[in-house]
Amino acid sequence: MTELPRPFSPHPRSVHELLFAPGSRGVLLATSRDPDAKRTFVVTPPAGTYVDGPAGPVAIKIPVTMAAASAITRETRMLVALRDAELAGLEPTVPRYLETLDSDGLPALVSTVVHGTPMSVAYHRWRHTTRPRLVAEDFALAGGWLRHFQTATAGERARITWAAEMSGAVRERWSGHPRLEAAQVRLRAADRQLKSYRVARTMVHGDYWFGNLLVSDGAVTGVVDWESGSPAGCPLRDLVRFALSYCLYIDRHTRPGNPVRGHRGLRRTGFGAGIKYGLLEEGWLPDLVRLYLRTGVDAVGLPSALWYGAALAGLGEIAATANDDEFAGSHLDLLADLPYWPLSNDLGGPTR
């Protein structure tokens, strides 16, 4: 079994011992039926349980499957790396690793609780995504936290191999798929654009979408679910993931075939219409998306024109790594449908 970081408590315990200790109070916060399904509890343990930890609630992630156990092991390692990093004041926004418990032979992760409301709650409120000011605030919050995090964790500079790596991963996962070669053409174009540059490697969240950002009083107060993270990776990954996910669900509350309120020219027509719109079309949302991407690329010391190649690589990453085959395959199709020439036109988008 893979060795896990040593727990802070002197005697490793089982999940049952902590959940049902005298005086413990808890609530099931989330569960799922995914291949890597986990149950997440928030528990207030008896006073003094963690000498060096919080006096209040803790979060416990319990695996349901072997795949979930592997994900929890990855998140544990990432939280330990974050605990040992200098985060320049961002420490309260990141869960802190406390210990690993036994859950019927599988590892369960205990961490501190970070507070706030998922950005997804506001996102799905009536007409939130039709209002430029509110959407701009979401992008500003996500971009601001990310720039602070990347600055704090920047390390050695390295050549950008992200698109080439995703090309290999996509080919391995989707061998024989009828759209594979078209997607590969886009990823090779992205690699030609990106590989000539070097950038400081940073810590990477790996799933930096609005559902994993907690906000309160106009600030990001928590970033959760680090199982896809890396202690040193390409900073463009998190930048792109937020923009793609934000655009993906922009038509969620619109009937198929109908125009999307607040976004002239956008209709709900198949998977990823919002992403195509955000990357390629005219309107206040595409302007905002491209500004966010160009600003984030510039912030890590790269030419802002690289934003489109980064977006293609980001789509390839989802196609290669998403644990749901239908979701991943839809991103493969979307990637194959996009123009691959990365030069910019007057709108800041790619030429067709």
Side-chain angles (χ1 to χ4, degrees):
M1 179 178 291
T2 303
E3 184 178 354
L4 294 170
R6 295 178 61 187
F8 285 152
S9 56
H11 305 292
R13 294 162 292 176
S14 70
V15 165
H16 185 276
E17 288 178 81
L18 184 59
L19 286 177
F20 298 101
S24 283
R25 294 178 291 110
V27 60
L28 177 62
L29 191 66
T31 189
S32 72
R33 297 183 179 180
D34 295 334
D36 60 351
K38 298 169 282 290
R39 296 189 178 100
T40 302
F41 288 83
V42 172
V43 175
T44 302
T49 300
Y50 296 100
V51 175
D52 297 320
V58 298
I60 309 176
K61 281 191 176 181
I62 303 172
V64 177
T65 65
M66 289 299 295
S70 295
I72 284 176
T73 299
R74 293 194 303 272
E75 182 166 16
T76 298
R77 292 195 176 116
M78 191 63 198
L79 291 189
V80 170
L82 287 162
R83 183 194 68 193
D84 296 338
E86 295 292 336
L87 298 184
L90 291 181
E91 290 85 356
T93 67
V94 175
R96 181 161 65 90
Y97 171 76
L98 292 174
E99 68 172 327
T100 299
L101 300 178
D102 174 73
S103 178
D104 296 324
L106 299 178
L109 168 64
V110 184
S111 69
T112 58
V113 173
V114 289
H115 298 278
T117 302
M119 188 181 284
S120 55
V121 173
Y123 181 96
H124 289 296
R125 284 185 186 138
W126 175 245
R127 301 196 68 180
H128 179 90
T129 54
T130 70
R131 298 170 180 172
R133 180 182 62 81
L134 298 181
V135 174
E137 288 174 358
D138 289 344
F139 275 91
L141 286 176
W145 188 94
L146 188 58
R147 283 191 293 275
H148 192 170
F149 180 69
Q150 291 175 341
T151 298
T153 63
E156 295 184 357
R157 298 177 67 82
R159 195 167 301 282
I160 302 175
T161 59
W162 179 36
E165 291 166 4
M166 291 307 101
S167 177
V170 165
R171 183 173 293 281
E172 181 177 352
R173 179 172 186 173
W174 295 106
S175 178
H177 192 283
R179 307 302 307 282
L180 173 61
E181 187 51 39
Q184 287 291 308
V185 169
R186 275 72 180 168
L187 290 172
R188 287 195 292 268
D191 182 51
R192 286 195 298 273
Q193 188 186 21
L194 297 171
K195 68 181 181 181
S196 298
Y197 295 92
R198 302 174 71 86
V199 69
R201 293 168 65 83
T202 68
M203 284 189 161
V204 174
H205 180 277
D207 193 17
Y208 194 72
W209 76 291
F210 57 86
N212 284 335
L213 274 62
L214 309 184
V215 296
S216 180
D217 297 327
V220 173
T221 53
V223 179
V224 298
D225 290 345
W226 290 83
E227 63 194 52
S228 299
S230 171
C234 179
L236 300 178
R237 291 177 56 197
D238 286 342
L239 177 76
V240 168
R241 180 62 65 92
F242 181 83
L244 294 178
S245 66
Y246 204 98
C247 291
L248 176 61
Y249 299 104
I250 208 78
D251 60 359
R252 174 58 61 90
H253 301 294
T254 302
R255 292 181 182 275
N258 285 1
V260 179
R261 185 188 295 269
H263 302 283
R264 182 175 299 178
L266 174 60
R267 289 179 174 270
R268 185 173 181 180
T269 53
F271 182 90
I275 291 178
K276 292 179 182 177
Y277 178 75
L279 295 179
L280 302 172
E281 303 299 339
E282 299 182 50
W284 66 263
L285 178 65
D287 288 346
L288 181 58
V289 170
R290 291 190 290 259
L291 176 62
Y292 162 83
L293 289 173
R294 293 169 74 91
T295 300
V297 171
D298 179 74
V300 295
L302 295 170
S304 61
L306 298 181
W307 72 269
Y308 188 67
L312 294 179
L315 286 169
E317 180 171 279
I318 300 171
T321 63
N323 59 16
D324 181 88
D325 284 339
E326 182 178 358
F327 188 74
S330 295
H331 279 83
L332 181 76
D333 291 338
L334 177 60
L335 175 62
D337 286 339
L338 289 176
Y340 60 86
W341 189 247
L343 296 179
S344 296
N345 60 26
D346 291 340
L347 293 173
T351 56
R352 311 247 183 155

